[in-house]
Amino acid sequence: MAHKVALLLSICLQLSRASAGGITYSRGDKNAYLTARGGDDSSDTDFKTLRGQLTKSTAADGAKVTNYDDPNTCSIYLAPSSIPNSGLGLYTSVPLPEGTQIGSSQVGILLQDPDFHNPSRNEVNPETFNLLGNYVWSATPLTYGEHQVQHGESVCSGIGMMANAHYGLINIDIDSTWKNKPEMDGTDSHSIMAGKHSTLSDVGRGSFSWHSNVKYHTLKSMRAGEEMFLSYGPQWYENAEREFGGPIPSKEHYDEADDMLRQFVERFGRDNKSAYDKLLARIQDKRLKAALPNRVEDMNATLEVGTARFSVKDSIRSPDWLTENGVCLDNLVGGTSTIAQAARGAFATKSIPKGGIITTTPVLTLNRNHLKLFKEVHRKDGSTRRRHVGHQLLLNYCYGHPDSSLLFFPTSPSVSFLNHANKTNANAEIRWSSLPYHKSDWLDMSLRELKKLEKTGLLFDIVATKPIERGDEVLLYYGEEWEEKWMSHIANWESSQKNFTDLLGLQTIVDLSSIEKEDIIKTVGELEEEPLPSNIMTRCGFALPSETEEAAKHGTVKGFSASDPKFVPCDILDADLMEGTDRYMYRAKVEHRSSETGEITLYSVKYDSAQNFMRYTDKPYTRDQFSKGAFRQPIGFSDGIMPEHWLDLKK
Ligand SMILES: *[C@@H]1O[C@H](CO)[C@@H](O)[C@H](O)[C@H]1NC(C)=O
Ligand SMILES: *[C@@H]1O[C@H](CO)[C@@H](O)[C@H](O)[C@H]1NC(C)=O
Ligand SMILES: *[C@@H]1O[C@H](CO)[C@@H](O)[C@H](O)[C@H]1NC(C)=O
Ligand SMILES: *[C@@H]1O[C@H](CO)[C@@H](O)[C@H](O)[C@H]1NC(C)=O
C-alpha cells in the first residue's frame, strides 16, 4: 500500500547512484539508543531531553558506556551497491522487522517552481549540468509542500537520496504518517505551535527548512547485511534504461519469471539446456527476459532465492564485508539545536576523538546559477524580462567558494543539520574524503569536464577538530563570507525593524495548526461573516472527473479510492444536514488546473464527509521561506578545499 502511494507521488526522482541508511536499535540498551537516535517518533527531539538522556544512559551503563562508542556497532553502512555500475548503496547491518523506522528524521528542502526559475534544466546541453534533477521528489513527501507553491519539488537528503532502486527487491519506503496525522508533518506550522522556536520577528526565519520530519521505514523484514532498495516511481525506467543501456525488470517481471521457471522445471526438469535456450529465445518482452537467468546451470540457485534476489547475488552482505568495505552513517542524528535561530542541529551519537571521522557524505555537484529565483517584469512595450530577485532555500544547505560557480550538496543522513559556530566553538571541519570511494582524480578535471559527468563521485569527510562527546552538537565554521553576511543581515534587520509580516505583505500570519484545531470547515457564507486569516485557504480532495465517473453518477464523491486525493482550491457553497443523521452533505466548487495547459476548470462536487476531503492549508508563497528578506548564503569551504582551477568567478 505505502509502496503504491510512493509510486503515485514521486513524480521525478529518476536515478540515484550512491546510497546510505539509518536504523533504530540494537545496542546494549535499546531505549537509550532510540533516544540517542532521536527516538522512534522523533518529530522534534528536544535537545535538552536528548542530551539529558544521553548523560543518563551514560551514568546508568557505567563502564559499559564504551559499548556505544564501539566503531563496530554501526547499524547503517554506505558501501558499493550490489547492483553493478550503480555506485554506492545503503545496507542495514542489523535485522529489521517490517515497519521499522530507518534512521532518524531528515530534512526536506522545498524547491519552488524550478522549471520557471531554471528553465535550462530541461535542455539537453552538456554545458548545463543538472545532477540535482535526478534526485528530487515531488513536493508531497513534505506534506503541505505541494500547497505552498505552484509546482514544488523536494530535496530530501539521507536515505531517499542514497538508497538504490531494484524493483524486484523494494524493501523500504518514505513514511506517510502525515497523511492521517497532519500535526506530525514537520512543517513550520507544527514547530511554531510547539513554541520552541523563534517569533515572527526573528532574524533567522525563512533561512532554513522547517520540514525536518522526512522518515523512512522497512516494507518487509530485512536481514542483517541486506541492501536497502527504494522505489523511485514509474517514470524512473525510461531514464534508467537509457543510462544503464539495458532493460530493467519490474516486480511483475520478476514474479512472472519465477512462475515461468517453476512451470519449466515441472515439464523439463532442472538441467535441460536445449529446452531452456528455446524458452529464452521465444520471449519477446525484454524486461521479462532480463529477469530470467541466462544459463540453465543457474536454475537451482535461482529457484532457491527467486529471480530478483538471484539478479543481485551480493545484495545481502556479510558483517565482515560491511565493516571492511562500508562507511558508518549513523554517528550523527538530528535534534533541536543549541543555537537560537537554527531550529535543528546535528548531534553525535558516539564519542569521536580529535581527528576522527564523524561521518562521510557523497556530494551532488550543482550550478550556483540554477538556484537563482527570478521575477517576470513587464516592460511598458508589453514585453517581459526576468529579474533576479533571490535564491532558492537550498542555497543555504550547499557548500561552495565565493569565487566558484560550483556548489556541493551533501546527501548523507543528518549532515544537512550541521550548524555554524565561530572559529573558537566549531568542533568539526570538512575535508575531501580519505576513502577509496572518493574519486580524487576528479579534482584534477576542468570544471567543464566535471559538469559533463552528471554523476556523484566526490565525497566529504566531516572530521572532528576537537574531541567530541556523545550528545554534543557538531558545529562547523561556515567561513568568513558567511559570518560577515550573517552579521550584516542581523544589523540590517534590527536597524529597519523588519518582521515577516512586513516582508510577506500580509496582514496576519496565523499558524495553520491553530486553525485546524477548530476542525470545522466553513462555507463561503460563513466565511463572509468570519473570514479566514489571509494566509489560509480551503482545499478539497479531488481527482479528474474520469477517475470519479462512477462516484459522480451517484451524485456523491465517496473517496477517490481514498488513497490519494489531490487537495485543490475550493469554495464550500453549502452544508446540509442529511436526513436522519448528524452528518452533513457538502456542495463545493472545485478548481482543477490542467498540468499540461495550466488552464483552470471549475467542477461542482458533492461530499458526504468533510473529514477526509476538506482541509485548510497555507496559501501558496505565504511561508517564511518565500519571504524576500530571508537570509541566503551557501556554507563556505575553508581554504584549500576548492581546487584553484574551479574558481571560475574570480575577477
Ligand atoms: C529436453 O527437452 C526436449 C524438449 O524440448 C526433449 O526433447 C529432450 O529429450 C529433453 N532432454 C533431456 C536431456 O531431458
Ligand atoms: C540441480 O539440483 C538437482 C537436484 O534437485 C540436481 O539433480 C542437479 O544436478 C542440479 N543441477 C545443477 C546444474 O547443479
Ligand atoms: C564564539 O561564540 C561563543 C558562543 O556564542 C562566544 O561566547 C564567543 O565569545 C565567540 N568567540 C569569538 C572569538 O567570537
Ligand atoms: C510587524 O510590523 C508591523 C508594521 O510595522 C506591526 O504592525 C506588527 O505588529 C509587527 N509584528 C510583529 C510580530 O512584530
Side-chain angles (χ1 to χ4, degrees):
M1 175 67 208
H3 177 201
K4 209 161 174 196
V5 168
L7 278 175
L8 286 166
L9 298 183
S10 54
I11 53 163
C12 56
L13 185 77
Q14 297 160 356
L15 263 184
S16 163
R17 301 158 190 85
S19 54
I23 280 156
T24 39
Y25 70 91
S26 113
R27 321 187 169 185
D29 177 348
K30 178 177 163 186
N31 286 332
Y33 188 53
L34 273 175
T35 314
R37 317 231 70 246
D40 50 0
D41 176 3
S42 54
S43 58
D44 192 9
T45 314
D46 182 65
F47 167 74
K48 288 201 188 83
T49 318
L50 174 71
R51 179 147 210 168
Q53 301 269 358
L54 287 171
T55 322
K56 239 190 333 201
S57 69
T58 306
D61 282 9
K64 273 185 282 166
V65 75
T66 46
N67 186 29
Y68 290 106
D69 301 335
D70 182 349
N72 296 322
T73 57
C74 179
S75 60
I76 302 165
Y77 282 97
L78 173 68
S81 175
S82 59
I83 305 178
N85 306 317
S86 297
L88 299 169
L90 291 186
Y91 295 85
T92 172
S93 64
V94 293
L96 296 175
E98 181 185 333
T100 315
Q101 187 187 325
I102 312 165
S104 57
S105 298
Q106 295 299 313
V107 71
I109 303 151
L110 186 63
L111 281 180
Q112 60 184 103
D113 307 297
D115 283 332
F116 171 76
H117 296 293
N118 175 22
S120 73
R121 73 181 198 145
N122 296 321
E123 289 166 15
V124 183
N125 175 356
E127 292 305 300
T128 59
F129 65 138
N130 181 31
L131 192 54
L132 182 68
N134 293 340
Y135 288 85
V136 293
W137 291 82
S138 71
T140 312
L142 301 181
T143 64
Y144 294 121
E146 66 179 344
H147 301 143
Q148 290 178 9
V149 289
Q150 186 78 251
H151 171 69
E153 286 174 6
S154 309
V155 182
C156 304
S157 50
I159 288 161
M161 278 193 148
M162 305 178 83
N164 274 317
H166 185 297
Y167 277 33
L169 297 170
I170 301 297
N171 49 17
I172 63 168
D173 193 14
I174 196 158
D175 260 25
S176 51
T177 42
W178 49 270
K179 283 199 166 172
N180 24 20
K181 281 178 105 182
E183 75 278 10
M184 290 291 295
D185 68 11
T187 63
D188 31 3
S189 318
H190 174 60
S191 302
I192 296 168
M193 282 309 285
K196 289 188 194 118
H197 302 293
S198 48
T199 64
L200 278 179
S201 56
D202 195 291
V203 61
R205 283 187 74 124
S207 66
F208 53 83
S209 174
W210 281 107
H211 300 285
S212 53
N213 201 19
V214 181
K215 293 194 276 199
Y216 301 85
H217 61 270
T218 55
L219 283 173
K220 42 178 87 160
S221 71
M222 288 177 70
R223 288 165 58 183
E226 191 169 333
E227 182 167 359
M228 299 179 198
F229 294 118
L230 184 69
S231 168
Y232 297 164
Q235 290 187 355
W236 178 74
Y237 281 94
E238 284 171 31
N239 300 291
E241 289 185 339
R242 214 180 311 126
E243 178 99 353
F244 294 119
I248 298 177
S250 71
K251 168 107 176 66
E252 285 67 34
H253 294 120
Y254 286 110
D255 288 347
E256 196 181 339
D258 286 337
D259 278 348
M260 264 185 158
L261 289 191
R262 271 192 293 272
Q263 285 169 21
F264 177 86
V265 168
E266 253 169 48
R267 261 186 83 184
F268 301 103
R270 292 172 171 243
D271 37 21
N272 188 328
K273 183 167 159 46
S274 70
Y276 189 67
D277 288 346
K278 258 186 224 156
L279 171 77
L280 287 182
R282 268 207 330 269
I283 295 172
Q284 301 282 326
D285 185 335
K286 285 192 181 124
R287 288 170 176 168
L288 175 61
K289 198 167 178 173
L292 288 159
N294 291 331
R295 313 170 323 142
V296 77
E297 289 82 357
D298 292 329
M299 184 68 74
N300 283 353
T302 311
L303 287 171
E304 202 171 302
V305 295
T307 50
R309 187 65 73 190
F310 181 76
S311 71
V312 276
K313 292 179 217 56
D314 295 327
S315 57
I316 300 175
R317 309 277 193 180
S318 70
D320 285 350
W321 187 91
L322 281 181
T323 44
E324 220 163 277
N325 299 282
V327 183
C328 182
L329 289 191
D330 69 2
N331 292 346
L332 273 185
V333 65
T336 303
S337 178
T338 51
I339 298 163
Q341 277 91 13
R344 302 273 282 180
F347 295 85
T349 60
K350 296 171 193 164
S351 298
I352 316 267
K354 181 177 170 176
I357 295 175
I358 304 165
T359 193
T360 293
T361 178
V363 290
L364 302 187
T365 42
L366 277 83
N367 188 335
R368 194 183 280 261
N369 276 333
H370 292 177
L371 298 185
K372 280 184 178 166
L373 298 177
F374 294 91
K375 194 180 160 180
E376 234 161 44
V377 188
H378 298 277
R379 291 204 188 91
K380 279 213 184 94
D381 64 4
S383 64
T384 54
R385 72 183 177 87
R386 290 158 65 86
R387 196 168 75 203
H388 173 213
V389 292
H391 284 94
Q392 296 274 7
L393 175 58
L394 185 66
L395 185 73
N396 289 6
Y397 292 88
C398 291
Y399 292 73
H401 187 288
D403 293 334
S404 178
S405 64
L406 195 64
L407 292 173
F408 298 101
F409 178 78
T411 60
S412 278
S414 303
V415 171
S416 286
F417 292 134
L418 289 168
N419 285 320
H420 164 82
N422 60 28
K423 272 184 181 151
T424 322
N425 278 21
N427 55 10
E429 67 178 21
I430 299 277
R431 293 186 198 159
W432 290 118
S433 179
S434 54
L435 292 161
Y437 309 127
H438 168 61
K439 300 197 166 69
S440 53
D441 51 327
W442 287 20
L443 300 178
D444 299 327
M445 282 184 187
S446 70
L447 212 45
R448 218 184 135 94
E449 286 171 311
L450 185 75
K451 287 174 180 178
K452 277 192 196 150
L453 280 176
E454 295 230 354
K455 281 184 191 168
T456 56
L458 299 175
L459 275 74
F460 290 164
D461 286 338
I462 318 271
V463 180
T465 54
K466 292 175 186 168
I468 290 176
E469 277 182 34
R470 186 163 179 274
D472 280 355
E473 181 164 4
V474 179
L475 298 162
L476 295 173
Y477 176 61
Y478 281 6
E480 242 164 74
E481 287 82 11
W482 190 94
E483 213 167 34
E484 274 167 23
K485 187 133 186 222
W486 176 244
M487 288 309 175
S488 92
H489 178 70
I490 293 176
N492 290 334
W493 187 270
E494 280 166 0
S495 63
S496 59
Q497 300 226 315
K498 275 185 187 148
N499 66 35
F500 271 76
T501 305
D502 298 341
L503 288 169
L504 292 165
L506 293 169
Q507 286 308 305
T508 45
I509 295 287
V510 174
D511 184 65
L512 180 61
S513 58
S514 70
I515 306 285
E516 279 183 326
K517 282 219 180 86
E518 291 175 22
D519 217 22
I520 296 163
I521 300 280
K522 292 185 189 139
T523 63
V524 176
E526 287 162 342
L527 287 175
E528 255 167 40
E529 276 162 38
E530 205 184 331
L532 285 173
S534 56
N535 61 315
I536 307 285
M537 66 188 292
T538 313
R539 290 190 188 240
C540 298
F542 188 64
L544 274 178
S546 62
E547 298 161 34
T548 55
E549 221 170 335
E550 197 50 35
K553 262 191 229 153
H554 300 98
T556 307
V557 175
K558 281 236 165 65
F560 313 107
S561 78
S563 61
D564 269 311
K566 197 168 157 50
F567 281 86
V568 299
C570 68
D571 284 335
I572 316 291
L573 302 178
D574 45 51
D576 292 323
L577 203 55
M578 286 191 273
E579 222 177 317
T581 71
D582 56 356
R583 296 169 57 206
Y584 285 87
M585 173 68 78
Y586 297 83
R587 208 163 52 85
K589 197 172 67 193
V590 171
E591 269 184 30
H592 179 264
R593 179 189 287 268
S594 157
S595 55
E596 270 130 52
T597 63
E599 221 169 274
I600 290 178
T601 315
L602 293 178
Y603 292 95
S604 184
V605 183
K606 278 184 180 173
Y607 295 89
D608 62 2
S609 154
Q611 202 187 357
N612 296 320
F613 299 109
M614 289 170 202
R615 58 171 66 153
Y616 295 126
T617 73
D618 295 311
K619 273 189 192 162
Y621 308 103
T622 58
R623 280 287 163 201
D624 301 345
Q625 128 170 37
F626 309 106
S627 151
K628 290 189 248 10
F631 182 72
R632 292 288 181 272
Q633 175 75 12
I635 301 163
F637 281 135
S638 49
D639 284 344
I641 303 254
M642 193 73 111
E644 275 293 310
H645 57 280
W646 289 352
L647 304 182
D648 56 335
L649 305 180
K650 206 165 174 176
K651 303 259 154 57

